[in-house]
Every structure is written in C-alpha cells, then in structure tokens.
Amino acid sequence: KWLQKNYKLQITNYKLPTPLMNLFNGGKHADTNLDVQEYLIIPHGPRKVADKIRAGSEIFHALAKVLKRAGKDTDVGNEGGYAPRVSNNEDPLRYIMKAIMQAGYTPGKEISLGLDVAASELYDAKKEKYFFSLPKKWIDADGMMKVYKHGLSNYPLMSIEDPFAEDDWGAWVKFNEKCKMRNEKILVIGDDLYTTNVERLKKGIELGATNAILIKPNQIGTLSETIDTILLAQKHKMAVVISHRSGETSDTTIADLAVAVNAEYIKAGAPSRGERVAKYDRLMEIERELTK
C-alpha cells in the first residue's frame, strides 16, 4: 500500500504473482558441472498463491526422491535448488518432468518449465561463440537457437531467461522474432541484458529484443529507478518478473514490491533455505490479508 501511494501507481486491484521456482542450480550458482544456471518450474495451474507454493514444494521434495533413485546427491546450491553432477544439460529437465508427475501434477497443463541460461557467462566475445562443457563444444548464436528449439519441442518450456549474452543484441532480436512467428507462448526474459536499467530497456524495446524483463532492485541501486524501469516495461506490454539475488538475506521486500506493481511473476529461488522461503511466506501472508 505504501509503495502504491508513494509512487502514485495507478492500480485498482492487487494481482498476486506466479512464482518461478528454481529446482536445479548450475553455472556460477553451484559447485556442479551444469552449464545452465537455473532450471525452474512455473506452477501456473493452481489459482491461489498458497496452492502454487504448495505445488512447488511437493515437486521439490519429489525431485529429491527422483535424484536419490538415480544415484545423485541432493545438496543444494546458492539459491536452494539441487546441484548434482549430471551427464548433460538436458538431464535436469528429465528429472524435473518425472518429479512433476510423481507429485501428482500434469506437465504443461498445471506446471511448466523455465531456464535461466545466463549465457553471458558462456560467451567469448572474440570468437562470438558460446562454450559448453557438457559436452565440450563451441556454439554460435544460431546453434543456441537450435538448442532452444529442441527444448521447446520436447518440454513444456514457458520461459527462457538470458538465452544470449548481454551485448549479443542481434541474437536476442532474431530469437524473439522467431518465437513470435512460431506463435510460441514463451517468456523471453532479459536480466543481464537490462540490469534493471531504463536506458538498456529503451534499447531493448526499440529493437524488440524481449517480451519480458527481470527486475532486481539492488541491481540498479534505488527503489525509484526500479519503479521507473517497471513502469516503462509495463507501458510497452512486457511481462515483469521481480527477482531475488544469489546472495540473499531474509528481507521480504520483493514480495511486497511484486504485489504493489502487479508483476506477473516473482522469482525467489527454491522452496528451501530460509532466505528463499521467507519471500514465499510473505506472499502467502499478503494473500491471506487480501482475502479477509
């Protein structure tokens, strides 16, 4: 309420965000051999936030059983997701699909999948290529698009965050346009691409680089700049994902921010580790307040 009043947000009804829950940590977020930074589930089927969080938690614990049966460890990474060593970058998607079904949910209909590739970490600007260690190979932007096409064809993927490096603008534009042409209902999310920065977002809007933006308040530094970025994105019909960071505390402000600006999504990590769970607890608390 304070945020809406202070920033004169023209919102009449509160809309609660759908969580993007990180179940696998890789890349720079865990001591594993995974190239991709995050594998997520998006529980869009249940109507209430509490039921979405419950679904995510049930799938998270079902995934532990799936991994144990496969002989994998269940230690967690920086953002609460599991971080076992795997054979290839597709394995986590297969494990998560099994966990969704074993938890009693329907992939695609109730629970979809998401990726945070964090492709800037894989990119060599001199070679203009991306390096994958599973298996060891260099891939250009067109090759990356083929990888994503394979994923979209074989899994209920609903979002891909940072599919290309932060300055590989041409690849972003081409991929976003291809998704539109194929009528793919997928969120192409810019995080490293925009860094919650109005000037970079303006460029992305002008080029048509994405249809969604990740928002991290401490990425830009002030709440006012954060709100400015959100309002610009919403003005241009971009989906907004309010996000945590890898080095989190138990502060829950992003949950209130997501509700205040009517963000479609919130990304707060796995339903594990106190600094992640705190955000989900706050969301459920807000939902209870609104439904009194």
Side-chain angles (χ1 to χ4, degrees), residues 4-285:
Q4 288 198 342
K5 180 180 178 181
N6 191 69
Y7 288 97
K8 298 179 175 60
L9 302 176
Q10 302 301 310
I11 296 168
T12 54
N13 296 311
Y14 288 106
K15 183 174 71 177
L16 292 158
T18 293
L20 275 65
M21 307 177 92
N22 179 351
L23 298 197
F24 263 87
N25 291 180
K28 300 291 184 182
H29 287 179
D31 186 16
T32 178
N33 60 346
L34 270 174
D35 297 300
V36 175
Q37 187 165 273
E38 299 176 13
Y39 295 78
L40 308 107
I41 57 167
I42 307 169
H44 52 78
R47 188 177 63 84
K48 292 183 178 180
V49 164
D51 292 332
K52 293 179 185 197
I53 293 169
R54 174 183 174 177
S57 184
E58 289 172 345
I59 294 164
F60 178 78
H61 290 290
L63 180 56
K65 295 176 182 177
V66 170
L67 292 173
K68 283 179 180 177
R69 282 196 293 270
K72 304 295 182 183
D73 70 61
T74 52
D75 293 339
V76 299
N78 289 356
E79 297 184 350
Y82 300 115
R85 296 181 72 81
V86 293
S87 300
N88 58 66
N89 287 295
E90 196 172 346
D91 274 354
L93 294 172
R94 298 189 184 104
Y95 291 137
I96 292 172
M97 289 289 284
K98 286 182 182 178
I100 290 170
M101 291 183 282
Q102 288 184 20
Y105 296 94
T106 307
K109 185 177 180 181
E110 296 172 291
I111 314 290
S112 291
L113 307 182
L115 297 173
D116 175 5
V117 183
S120 291
E121 302 291 346
L122 309 173
Y123 191 63
D124 186 305
K126 290 182 180 178
K127 293 185 178 181
E128 295 185 344
K129 288 186 177 181
Y130 299 83
F131 179 73
F132 281 83
S133 59
L134 288 178
K136 285 184 169 60
K137 61 180 178 180
W138 289 94
I139 306 176
D140 62 14
D142 286 336
M144 293 287 276
M145 289 183 212
K146 289 177 183 177
V147 170
Y148 301 140
K149 184 179 180 182
H150 171 80
L152 289 164
S153 300
N154 291 277
Y155 301 94
L157 279 172
M158 184 175 158
S159 75
I160 302 180
E161 180 185 331
D162 284 347
F164 305 99
E166 60 201 52
D167 290 315
D168 196 2
W169 289 97
W172 283 89
V173 174
K174 186 175 180 180
F175 181 65
N176 195 37
E177 187 59 35
K178 279 190 172 187
C179 289
K180 284 182 187 175
M181 288 172 63
R182 291 198 300 263
N183 199 28
E184 299 278 9
K185 292 182 179 179
I186 182 167
L187 298 169
V188 182
I189 306 172
D191 172 19
D192 295 338
L193 182 69
Y194 296 132
T195 59
T196 316
N197 185 295
V198 165
E199 295 308 314
R200 287 189 68 89
L201 176 57
K202 285 178 181 176
K203 181 174 180 178
I205 291 167
E206 183 182 338
L207 294 173
T210 73
N211 59 17
I213 183 171
L214 203 79
I215 297 291
K216 295 173 176 172
N218 75 339
Q219 195 174 43
I220 189 62
T222 69
L223 194 54
S224 296
E225 290 170 298
T226 300
I227 297 287
D228 287 345
T229 308
I230 292 169
L231 293 178
L232 179 62
Q234 291 177 330
K235 180 182 178 181
H236 291 273
K237 311 299 182 186
M238 292 175 71
V240 171
V241 185
I242 305 296
S243 177
H244 64 156
R245 302 301 299 268
S246 57
E248 268 290 343
T249 71
S250 293
D251 185 277
T252 61
T253 303
I254 62 165
D256 288 83
L257 176 63
V259 177
V261 301
N262 270 8
E264 289 87 351
Y265 303 96
I266 186 169
K267 188 177 171 189
S272 84
R273 295 177 58 119
E275 75 279 6
R276 315 294 158 183
V277 173
K279 279 77 166 168
Y280 295 126
D281 285 346
R282 176 60 185 145
L283 269 181
M284 292 189 288
E285 185 180 28

